[in-house]
């Protein structure tokens, strides 16, 4: 049984805690650390059967029984805690993004070299049953050569303005999942990014210097084209769809709904709305990604996505930011 420590007990820290307890074999959460631990969070942690609660994550790093850490704290702490955890000899699952600064990610890549430690980044959508089926179809050549990838990714509601201010901007906070999805579905890298953005949802997001609506096009190294559309607000729920079009066909997935019931009556024909947000849509995916991380430790395998997979979407996000700022397509080679 692998003993793990969770650093950061906010939204995603609680998701991983719960999924380890309910969905992950071979792992147990020994300690949870959060400097702002309050009564409510502590009660949640206790309900999950976790032995120790601390405000200082060094208690986790200094515990020889703990083999692995999940870094679920705010983004600005990820690269620093990664470096400390590597020094302490812990395997690391780090939430996205590792950092917004490429040099800080490079330092993590460097520090990992030769340690034999496992490192996985939290791009959970790769573990969603729908997207896995799309990737499988592409990988097996069932749609021929990939020509167009279309991703729709819209949140049901915008985050708080305080969150927006420290998020690094929509491209590095939200679109980063879609950048990873483009890499995952295509199996190749982007070479050029062009972004259009607008502030249509909440003027306070614009005042904070960010966009809330965007369309991003990417040229891929295999010659295919990808397009991502994002909004911070979809009035009907969490809108997460993809389509891959190729020389021999097309594979697409729609949204998950709580049921497939379709109501037909004199007023019309009505189906269920998409599930509300990531906590509903991706709970199984969160369980699967951590199971694979633990499996990599137990069976000494590569993690399904490593530290370089954490770096590439940040490069794509920085290119999208530059593209929007300068009103022109940006080559990824300008950023790396
Ligand atoms: N993969 C996903 O689907 C997904 C979803 C949400 C968030 N995230 C990522 O997870 C991270 C956290 O997001 P969140 O929504 O849970 O935020 P949150 O604000 O709800 O939680 C962050 C927690 O980290 C704690 N924290 C801050 N500094 C700390 C430190 N030094 N040591 C320990 N804890 C510390 C805070 O007190 C807070 O409780 C972000 O990087 C975000 O990008 C990923």
């Amino acid at each position: 049984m692998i003993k793990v420590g969770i650093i950061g007990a906010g939204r995603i820290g609680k998701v991983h805690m719960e999924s380890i307890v309910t969905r992950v074999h071979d792992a147990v959460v020994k300690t949870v650390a959060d400097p702002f631990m309050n009564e409510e969070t502590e009660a949640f942690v206790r309900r999950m059967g976790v032995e120790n609660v601390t405000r200082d994550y060094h208690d986790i790093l200094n515990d020889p029984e703990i083999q692995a850490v999940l870094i679920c704290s705010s983004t600005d702490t990820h690269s620093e805690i990664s470096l400390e955890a590597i020094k302490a000899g812990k395997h690391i699952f780090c939430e996205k993004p590792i950092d917004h600064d490429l040099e800080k990610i490079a330092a993590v890549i460097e520090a990992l070299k030769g340690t034999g430690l496992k490192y996985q980044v939290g791009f959970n959508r790769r573990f969603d049953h729908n997207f896995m089926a799309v990737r499988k179809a592409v990988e097996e050549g069932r749609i021929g050569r990939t020509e167009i990838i279309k991703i729709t990714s819209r949140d049901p509601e915008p985050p708080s303005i305080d969150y927006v201010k420290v998020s690094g901007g929509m491209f590095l906070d939200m679109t980063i999942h879609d950048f990873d999805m483009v890499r995952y579905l295509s199996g190749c890298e982007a070479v050029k990014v062009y972004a259009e953005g607008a502030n249509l949802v909440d003027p306070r997001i614009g005042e904070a210097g960010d966009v809330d609506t965007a369309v991003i096009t990417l040229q891929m190294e295999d010659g295919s084209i990808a397009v991502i559309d994002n909004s911070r607000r979809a009035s009907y729920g969490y809108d997460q769809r993809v389509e891959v079009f190729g020389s021999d066909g097309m594979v697409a997935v729609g949204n998950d709904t709580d049921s497939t019931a379709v109501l037909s009556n004199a007023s019309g024909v009505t189906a269920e709305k998409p599930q509300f947000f990531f906590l509903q849509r991706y709970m199984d995916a969160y369980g699967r990604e951590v199971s694979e991380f633990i499996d990599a430790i137990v069976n000494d395998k590569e993690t399904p996505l490593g530290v370089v997979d954490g770096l590439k979407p940040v490069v794509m996000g920085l290119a999208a930011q530059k593209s929007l700022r300068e009103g022109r397509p940006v080559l990824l080679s300008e950023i790396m």
Side-chain angles (χ1 to χ4, degrees), residues 34-88:
D34 196 306
F36 303 104
M37 183 72 67
N38 57 29
E39 261 178 39
E40 195 188 331
T41 303
E42 191 164 342
F44 178 89
V45 176
R46 298 288 180 209
R47 263 202 318 281
M48 292 292 119
V50 176
E51 207 179 311
N52 304 310
V53 173
T54 173
R55 286 174 191 273
D56 183 356
Y57 68 85
H58 294 96
D59 293 338
I60 291 178
L61 300 186
N62 293 331
D63 183 340
E65 268 198 3
I66 293 180
Q67 283 176 264
V69 296
L70 276 75
I71 303 175
C72 304
S73 43
S74 27
T75 300
D76 57 337
T77 66
H78 292 182
S79 59
E80 195 186 319
I81 298 178
S82 291
L83 291 174
E84 288 185 67
I86 293 166
K87 235 186 216 156

Side-chain angles (χ1 to χ4, degrees), residues 17-314:
M17 224 179 296
E18 189 175 339
S19 80
I20 290 175
V21 172
T22 58
R23 292 171 158 84
V24 180
H25 309 294
D26 297 334
V28 62
V29 184
K30 182 178 177 192
T31 306
V32 172
D34 196 306
F36 303 104
M37 183 72 67
N38 57 29
E39 261 178 39
E40 195 188 331
T41 303
E42 191 164 342
F44 178 89
V45 176
R46 298 288 180 209
R47 263 202 318 281
M48 292 292 119
V50 176
E51 207 179 311
N52 304 310
V53 173
T54 173
R55 286 174 191 273
D56 183 356
Y57 68 85
H58 294 96
D59 293 338
I60 291 178
L61 300 186
N62 293 331
D63 183 340
E65 268 198 3
I66 293 180
Q67 283 176 264
V69 296
L70 276 75
I71 303 175
C72 304
S73 43
S74 27
T75 300
D76 57 337
T77 66
H78 292 182
S79 59
E80 195 186 319
I81 298 178
S82 291
L83 291 174
E84 288 185 67
I86 293 166
K87 235 186 216 156
K90 310 294 182 199
H91 301 291
I92 298 161
F93 177 96
C94 182
E95 262 310 331
K96 46 59 65 174
I98 303 173
D99 209 288
H100 297 146
D101 181 333
L102 296 181
E103 281 186 19
K104 289 187 178 171
I105 303 178
V108 175
I109 294 175
E110 199 51 40
L112 272 172
K113 279 186 186 154
T115 61
L117 294 170
K118 311 294 176 196
Y119 197 99
Q120 185 170 327
V121 184
F123 286 122
N124 55 293
R125 293 185 196 172
R126 287 186 182 222
F127 303 88
D128 172 74
H129 63 122
N130 284 324
F131 300 151
M132 282 163 67
V134 175
R135 172 62 194 149
K136 188 163 180 277
V138 173
E139 209 169 14
E140 289 174 351
R142 294 170 69 189
I143 61 156
R145 187 192 65 233
T146 297
E147 293 171 352
I148 300 172
I149 296 177
K150 282 170 81 175
I151 297 179
T152 292
S153 176
R154 303 173 189 148
D155 285 353
E157 59 189 17
S160 70
I161 298 303
D162 285 344
Y163 181 92
V164 168
K165 285 179 184 158
V166 297
S167 67
M170 190 169 80
F171 295 146
L172 289 176
D173 177 53
M174 177 177 164
T175 323
I176 196 160
H177 279 290
D178 308 309
F179 291 138
D180 177 63
M181 189 50 53
V182 168
R183 293 185 68 239
Y184 173 63
L185 294 178
S186 66
C188 72
E189 302 296 339
V191 289
K192 191 166 68 178
V193 176
Y194 179 62
E196 283 287 358
N199 174 216
L200 305 175
V201 173
D202 183 342
R204 291 173 305 161
I205 294 178
E207 283 156 23
D210 202 4
V211 294
D212 49 36
T213 308
V215 174
I216 302 121
T217 56
L218 302 109
Q219 191 173 52
M220 306 302 291
E221 65 185 359
D222 64 0
S224 63
I225 301 165
V227 57
I228 298 167
D229 87 74
N230 287 146
S231 171
R232 285 284 198 187
R233 182 259 300 113
S235 57
Y236 48 87
Y238 196 31
D239 194 1
Q240 299 276 292
R241 292 170 283 141
V242 310
E243 176 185 304
V244 185
F245 172 78
S247 52
D248 295 336
M250 192 259 285
V251 55
V253 289
N255 287 303
D256 268 354
T257 50
D258 285 341
S259 83
T260 53
V262 176
L263 168 69
S264 303
N265 61 21
S267 320
V269 179
T270 317
E272 294 236 29
K273 287 192 292 194
Q275 288 174 328
F276 178 64
F277 211 173
F278 63 91
L279 294 179
Q280 292 77 29
R281 167 78 187 253
Y282 292 128
M283 211 49 211
D284 284 341
Y286 291 122
R288 214 171 277 128
E289 68 174 349
V290 177
S291 291
E292 294 218 14
F293 170 63
I294 297 298
D295 185 50
I297 299 170
V298 172
N299 296 305
D300 194 19
K301 297 195 307 207
E302 290 280 305
T303 54
L305 69 166
V307 64
V308 174
D309 296 300
L311 171 80
K312 295 281 172 69
V314 177

